[in-house]
Amino acid sequence: MTISSSASGEGEKSSSPISIMDSDDNKIQEKQEKVSKTATAKLISISPQSMKEAGERIRSGHLVSFPTETVYGLGCHAIDPTAVKRVFEAKERPLTDPLIVHVNEATTALNLWDASSSSSSSSAENLEQRALQALTDGFWPGPLTIVARASPTIPSIIMAGTGYVACRSPSHPIARSLIDASGVPIAAPSANKFGHVSPTRAEHVMDDLGMEDVWIVDPDLDVDDNVTKQQVDVNKDYEDDVICDVGVESTVAKVEMESEHSGIIAILRHGAVSSQDIYDCLQSANLLDNFQVKEKMQSTGENVSHVAPGQTIRHYSPNVQSFMVSQDRYSTSCNNLWTDEELAAVKTAVIIDFGGRLSSLKEHSLAYRDLSVEGDSNKAAANVFASLRWSETIDGAEQVFFPELRVDETDLVKEALVLAVKDRLTRAASGVVVTSLMTRTTTSNTN
């Protein structure tokens, strides 16, 4: 098997005020003044009429947020540059971070990639088209985003000017219904402010984008309910009520031709589809003689143009300073793992654990949550973003700690989602690993 690894360093505003539910009169007045000057998002149900109107809204160049099996997306008409610009503005996303185009049918994506849309028939293009067909047949609909050379019809803004376009076919029925209703490909990054924790609930989207001109599809709403930001409880605990069942963004794989007869499938972001899964797909399509599968994870600054999202080192970050605790600290067999000073410091810290690695800090911390006590990567992935957002709601929290995850990346089938969770926690902490809970004194960066 040839799997190798290499490392390298995202309309119109309404002025109509709305009623606000708040027990504090001063806060009410303050929020009303803000809302009177700012367009306010609203939640919509999944009734046939709501979905029809949401599709029309997409088609007319405006924004709709919707759930997928991975996270909530902020959708727009993918081939309309003005609509795409609205997404970047709402998210405050740098133009160096491209968007993923969501489609229902593989044939739509194949027409957006140059190898399939081109009238030429070189050996390299035929081989690239075979690889694209194999990957779409093998994994769509599902949590795999495929990046390839774009056809000339794709707006440059959606690709960060790289000439490569990322496409995915979601399996979530609401996402597919919206794509059908719109009748166009939908470009959609995660529906949050850039760099913040990705949303897995409508309430998360409302928390980040509630003052933007966006409709948010909420499957929990009664049919034809209309709800605005000030009527939403953003602190509800939804751990056992999952809408985005995978819970982390899709795996991103880039098809790169190196010659007329060979290429690589580069893994740019970890998700639920592993490198081993892709290798097996290529094997079934008799393409292993022509393609290698390689890991090409990146951690860069925001000023670098990327061919795929999720490459910046600071990403998925809560609004509380976050750190990974070095495995060298919590894996020791010493009875006294932590100093008295560290235990005192953690009284103002939130612990987000995985598999009980930091359970010795539970009774000393301000708040504690384990993504999965059993170490179940599927459950951890489904809970990681909701837990990061939960940490922001803890009064008095000054830091968030989670365990450094060192994963044997040779066992890629078993560890696919562990790698995804590791990636999200690493970027939430901006790559910083601490060897002491006295975070002002001892830190290191993994990159």
Side-chain angles (χ1 to χ4, degrees):
M1 178 173 67
T2 310
I3 297 180
S4 59
S5 177
S6 63
S8 58
E10 185 174 298
E12 264 181 47
K13 303 263 183 179
S14 168
S15 60
S16 301
I18 59 172
S19 62
I20 301 170
M21 299 180 180
D22 196 312
S23 60
D24 188 316
D25 290 341
N26 291 330
K27 289 183 179 178
I28 290 176
Q29 183 177 356
E30 190 177 302
K31 288 184 178 180
Q32 282 176 329
E33 289 174 355
K34 184 176 182 180
V35 170
S36 68
K37 300 175 184 178
T38 313
T40 303
K42 72 171 182 177
L43 302 179
I44 64 170
S45 74
I46 57 172
S47 71
Q49 182 61 29
S50 289
M51 296 305 290
K52 177 183 177 182
E53 292 174 357
E56 292 170 351
R57 180 175 171 83
I58 289 282
R59 199 161 51 249
S60 67
H62 294 277
L63 309 184
V64 176
S65 178
F66 59 96
T68 75
E69 68 275 23
T70 58
V71 298
Y72 257 78
L74 179 61
C76 71
H77 189 323
I79 314 301
D80 179 348
T82 301
V84 174
K85 184 179 179 183
R86 286 189 174 120
V87 169
F88 282 95
E89 291 172 344
K91 281 180 60 69
E92 300 170 15
R93 182 184 180 100
L95 295 174
T96 54
D97 210 15
L99 309 186
I100 296 172
V101 179
H102 293 67
V103 300
N104 277 350
E105 303 301 327
T107 52
T108 304
L110 291 168
N111 288 330
L112 300 178
W113 289 315
D114 187 59
S116 301
S117 63
S118 174
S119 59
S120 62
S121 57
S122 70
S123 298
E125 286 178 328
N126 286 338
L127 194 58
E128 184 178 359
Q129 184 173 359
R130 285 178 58 199
L132 292 169
Q133 189 72 60
L135 292 171
T136 56
D137 287 348
F139 298 105
W140 284 8
L144 177 67
T145 293
I146 304 169
V147 179
R149 291 180 302 111
S151 82
T153 63
I154 307 300
S156 179
I157 187 174
I158 212 170
M159 305 179 289
T162 64
Y164 284 82
V165 65
C167 297
R168 185 169 91 83
S169 178
S171 62
H172 199 293
I174 295 174
R176 297 184 69 80
S177 175
L178 180 62
I179 295 169
D180 271 343
S182 71
V184 297
I186 295 179
S190 58
N192 54 289
K193 290 296 184 180
F194 181 76
H196 193 215
V197 183
S198 299
T200 53
R201 301 282 316 182
E203 290 76 15
H204 300 161
V205 182
M206 188 66 88
D207 194 22
D208 273 25
L209 303 179
M211 293 302 167
E212 303 296 337
D213 184 14
V214 57
W215 290 7
I216 305 166
V217 180
D218 185 356
D220 285 342
L221 280 188
D222 292 334
V223 171
D224 296 328
D225 274 354
N226 289 319
V227 182
T228 52
K229 176 179 172 61
Q230 286 69 29
Q231 297 168 296
V232 177
D233 179 3
V234 298
N235 296 328
K236 290 172 71 175
D237 187 347
Y238 289 106
E239 185 173 0
D240 297 318
D241 186 12
V242 175
I243 290 177
C244 302
D245 57 348
V246 174
V248 292
E249 289 90 347
S250 58
T251 300
V252 175
K254 180 186 177 189
V255 179
E256 301 178 6
M257 296 308 301
E258 296 186 315
S259 72
E260 284 282 305
H261 305 290
S262 66
I264 65 171
I265 309 298
I267 308 302
L268 304 181
R269 183 175 71 187
H270 288 302
V273 177
S274 72
S275 298
Q276 181 67 59
D277 294 331
I278 291 173
Y279 175 92
D280 292 342
C281 174
L282 296 175
Q283 185 175 47
S284 297
N286 296 315
L287 288 170
L288 283 184
D289 289 340
N290 306 103
F291 287 93
Q292 293 181 325
V293 181
K294 294 185 178 182
E295 303 249 347
K296 285 195 172 182
M297 306 297 293
Q298 292 184 326
S299 297
T300 67
E302 295 176 13
N303 59 335
V304 178
S305 291
H306 302 108
V307 297
Q311 308 294 293
T312 54
I313 182 57
R314 187 181 183 278
H315 219 67
Y316 319 117
S317 299
N319 296 328
V320 183
Q321 195 170 25
S322 302
F323 306 93
M324 293 178 288
V325 178
S326 171
Q327 181 176 310
D328 296 335
R329 286 301 309 276
Y330 66 75
S331 62
T332 178
S333 58
C334 176
N335 290 329
N336 299 315
L337 285 175
W338 317 104
T339 67
D340 290 342
E341 291 80 8
E342 287 178 309
L343 293 178
V346 86
K347 289 181 180 179
T348 58
V350 174
I351 307 297
I352 298 178
D353 205 356
F354 179 45
R357 289 167 170 83
L358 299 179
S359 59
S360 58
L361 294 172
K362 181 176 182 179
E363 300 305 318
H364 303 278
S365 63
L366 181 62
Y368 175 97
R369 176 178 287 186
D370 199 317
L371 298 176
S372 169
V373 176
E374 304 82 8
D376 183 325
S377 60
N378 289 280
K379 184 176 180 182
N383 290 331
V384 64
F385 287 142
S387 295
L388 288 170
R389 283 182 175 265
W390 161 79
S391 71
E392 298 175 330
T393 71
I394 305 302
D395 289 338
E398 296 180 3
Q399 296 113 356
V400 181
F401 292 109
F402 20 82
E404 178 192 19
L405 302 180
R406 297 180 187 172
V407 182
D408 179 5
E409 298 191 17
T410 60
D411 191 6
L412 291 170
V413 174
K414 181 179 179 181
E415 302 294 353
L417 278 173
V418 171
L419 290 173
V421 172
K422 173 188 174 183
D423 174 74
R424 277 38 171 206
L425 293 180
T426 298
R427 295 179 194 274
S430 299
V432 176
V433 179
V434 298
T435 56
S436 168
L437 301 183
M438 308 296 290
T439 54
R440 291 183 178 88
T441 59
T442 310
T443 65
S444 64
N445 196 291
T446 58
N447 295 279

